[in-house]
Amino acid sequence: MAKELHTYKAGPIEQVVMPGENVGIWVNKTTQFYKVVYIEPITRSDPVTFDLGALAAGGVSIITQITLLQMPDLEFAQLRMEVMDDVSCILYQGRADQRHKLQNVVSTVNRFSPLFDRDGHQTEFFEFEDNYIFLQATNQTAYALTQARVVFWGYRYVLEYQKQYTEKGNMPDIWTRIPATAHL
Amino acid sequence: MSTQLTPRGIRKSSAVITIAAANVAQNLYLRSAAGTVGRTIILRKIFAYSNIGNVTITIGIGLAPLVGIIPPFYVLNTLDMQLTEDEIPEVEVNVNLTVQATILGCLVQVEIEEVGS
């Protein structure tokens, strides 16, 4: 039986498809179809760590574009994140489009998250080309923090555009949906 | 007996530091700072020894002045003193650790956990 791969999978991060398989990337309210031609890991490390900066007690950072996670054309990233300081972070895809949202509130990622989700699978998100993610941190303490660090890890996928497939009509028989933007 | 807590970072230790001057702060552990995003340090274990008299030792941050991150502790002459992570508050700082003692010549070493990526 084939190994089941899918997005937001519990446990340590795994790639969501194999090379040669089709993905439909949900971005800008449409699905675009690509074939994955290459996959490699993005390791949890200093270059993929972002510091949202010092925050006063109870302070809130600006909504910050995480440019270091930009992907080249025809590539997307599957990433998970860990917040290293005592802040809670809201993830945006599109500066005004929050992820992890309910009707009235938006859930956050914080220092408590790894206590209940050691592998960070609920933090998983996908970034296609230069469709940046944005983060906003809130200092949850009663004292100033000098830094608000967030670290990322995951996989990089290199794509080949499949122009014969379109959302309205000729779709591939088997494909995996990649939620690379907020669903408004 | 000591319990090692769930790791938040990597374990490292300082050199064995000999106090060079009484009541003058000196560096104890230098934070690894070559990355683009700074690491933080959590003090986990302390080992101190004196054979030149009883001594009060303070571990903190900053050199002039040193600001303690835990209360000073007292080391009796020729008796080693150990504090483990069960006994030390989880204080996290993002600068070098420093130490100051009331007499010169006593020895201090710490084990820390460095949080970063």
Side-chain angles (χ1 to χ4, degrees):
Chain A
M1 182 178 156
K3 186 176 178 65
E4 185 183 17
L5 300 172
H6 60 82
T7 55
Y8 314 129
K9 189 174 182 182
I13 192 165
E14 293 183 71
Q15 58 198 56
V16 292
V17 294
M18 300 295 284
E21 294 182 347
N22 290 314
V23 292
I25 298 182
W26 170 256
V27 65
N28 299 328
K29 299 182 181 177
T30 63
T31 304
Q32 299 169 13
F33 294 99
Y34 299 86
K35 184 165 81 175
V36 172
V37 295
Y38 179 78
I39 304 171
E40 70 178 358
I42 305 293
T43 55
R44 184 193 191 280
S45 54
D46 181 65
V48 280
T49 305
F50 193 84
D51 185 358
L52 289 156
L55 289 172
V60 181
S61 78
I62 61 169
I63 299 172
T64 305
Q65 189 176 44
I66 311 300
T67 53
L68 62 82
L69 296 183
Q70 181 186 348
M71 300 304 293
D73 288 347
L74 287 175
E75 293 192 19
F76 78 90
Q78 170 198 6
L79 296 165
R80 295 181 178 183
M81 59 188 269
E82 180 187 338
V83 174
M84 285 195 278
D85 298 292
D86 199 359
V87 297
S88 66
C89 283
I90 296 177
L91 174 70
Y92 296 76
Q93 282 190 291
R95 189 182 293 273
D97 301 333
Q98 296 151 328
R99 298 294 308 269
H100 311 138
K101 67 179 187 178
L102 296 86
Q103 176 72 16
N104 297 314
V105 295
V106 177
S107 67
T108 64
V109 181
N110 55 41
R111 286 281 305 129
F112 291 92
S113 303
L115 299 177
F116 305 96
D117 176 15
R118 288 179 57 186
D119 301 303
H121 78 279
Q122 290 201 311
T123 71
E124 191 167 290
F125 64 91
F126 298 84
E127 182 175 289
F128 177 63
E129 296 183 342
D130 59 354
N131 287 266
Y132 290 103
I133 71 151
F134 298 78
L135 289 175
Q136 184 178 40
T138 301
N139 180 350
Q140 299 204 301
T141 74
Y143 46 86
L145 293 173
T146 54
Q147 54 198 61
R149 296 165 295 173
V150 183
V151 61
F152 304 90
W153 69 96
Y155 289 98
R156 162 192 175 219
Y157 296 75
V158 180
L159 305 170
E160 190 176 272
Y161 186 42
Q162 302 293 291
K163 62 182 177 184
Q164 72 274 28
Y165 296 131
T166 62
E167 195 176 30
K168 294 170 183 167
N170 183 29
M171 295 168 73
D173 292 337
I174 299 173
W175 57 283
T176 300
R177 179 183 292 273
I178 303 298
T181 192
H183 197 298
L184 303 176
Chain B
M1 181 181 164
S2 171
T3 305
Q4 182 160 310
L5 305 172
T6 303
R8 284 193 53 204
I10 53 174
R11 295 281 175 149
K12 301 171 81 173
S13 66
S14 71
V16 178
I17 300 296
T18 303
I19 299 297
N23 299 312
V24 176
Q26 64 188 88
N27 282 318
L28 174 60
Y29 178 81
L30 300 178
R31 180 178 68 111
S32 303
T36 53
V37 175
R39 296 182 182 176
T40 48
I41 296 169
I42 305 170
L43 181 59
R44 291 301 192 197
K45 296 178 184 145
I46 306 166
F47 199 129
Y49 176 75
S50 170
N51 64 359
I52 30 103
N54 300 340
V55 58
T56 299
I57 296 174
T58 306
I59 290 176
I61 56 175
L63 291 169
L66 177 150
V67 177
I69 60 168
I70 59 172
F73 51 90
Y74 196 64
V75 179
L76 294 170
N77 192 37
T78 71
L79 290 175
D80 62 273
M81 194 289 308
Q82 299 162 45
L83 290 171
T84 63
E85 57 206 82
D86 291 342
E87 302 150 325
I88 302 172
E90 184 160 316
V91 184
E92 187 171 356
V93 298
N94 68 344
V95 290
N96 297 337
L97 291 180
T98 54
V99 62
Q100 183 171 307
T102 51
I103 54 173
L104 65 85
C106 58
L107 306 174
V108 184
Q109 184 178 33
V110 292
E111 179 180 299
I112 61 90
E113 193 167 351
E114 220 166 40
V115 181
S117 57

